[in-house]
Amino acid sequence: MTRESRHVMGAAAGLAALVPVYYLTEAGAKALRMGAAAAGPAPAGLACLAAVAVLVAVLTAWPAAALTCGVPLISAGALFALDTSAALGLAAALPWSGPTWDGLPPAELAEPPGTLAGLTGLYTIIGALLVLSALLPTRWRSILGG
């Protein structure tokens, strides 16, 4: 396998991972918000964010995948930070609005996907970790990289 084909496969893997990372981060943030509002535990939030952590750990082993997934996440986080209304408009155009959480007011159910994770900076943090992992020397990368 040539170096170029590994980069192309890494970019494809990063793009494929972008969708689950985006939606799982939002689902985890919503579940944690529900747990905080109910003053109780939020195991669904922990499970979603743990799944994101596993995906990020796998992506850090492959610099092309980490960059391809991390740069759009940083861009989404920057858009939420700089122009919230434009970010909400783009998020509202996404095809899936996330799982329906029982007990949420209708206004919260109508939030575009990514709103909570974008406004809290989770996308920026996750994207920055991915990009920084791709820029690190090979010996400092994820233990999954070998």
Side-chain angles (χ1 to χ4, degrees), residues 29-52:
K30 282 184 179 183
L32 290 175
R33 177 176 58 187
M34 282 184 49
L46 177 62
C48 289
L49 294 178
V52 171

Side-chain angles (χ1 to χ4, degrees), residues 1 8 12 21 25 31 44 46 51 64 67 77 79 83 87 92 104 118 120 124 139 143:
M1 182 182 309
V8 170
V21 167
T25 302
L46 177 62
L67 282 174
L79 186 59
D83 191 357
L104 285 178
T120 58
T124 305
R139 60 185 156 82
I143 59 172

Side-chain angles (χ1 to χ4, degrees), residues 1 12 22 36 43 52 58 81 85 87 116 121 142:
M1 182 182 309
Y22 185 87
V52 171
V58 170
S85 60
L116 187 60
S142 171

Side-chain angles (χ1 to χ4, degrees), residues 8-144:
V8 170
M9 286 177 25
L15 282 177
L18 180 62
V19 173
V21 167
Y22 185 87
Y23 287 118
L24 282 171
T25 302
E26 177 63 14
K30 282 184 179 183
L32 290 175
R33 177 176 58 187
M34 282 184 49
L46 177 62
C48 289
L49 294 178
V52 171
V54 168
L55 283 171
V56 167
V58 170
L59 290 174
T60 60
W62 207 346
L67 282 174
T68 307
C69 187
V71 171
L73 288 172
I74 289 175
S75 301
L79 186 59
F80 272 102
L82 298 174
D83 191 357
T84 305
S85 60
L88 290 174
L90 286 174
L94 293 175
W96 183 64
S97 62
T100 302
W101 302 100
D102 293 332
L104 285 178
E108 291 182 2
L109 287 174
E111 283 179 356
T115 300
L116 187 60
L119 292 175
T120 58
L122 284 173
Y123 293 136
T124 305
I125 292 169
I126 294 168
L129 287 173
L130 284 167
V131 170
L132 288 175
S133 76
L135 300 177
L136 289 174
T138 304
R139 60 185 156 82
W140 288 0
R141 284 198 200 116
S142 171
I143 59 172
L144 300 172

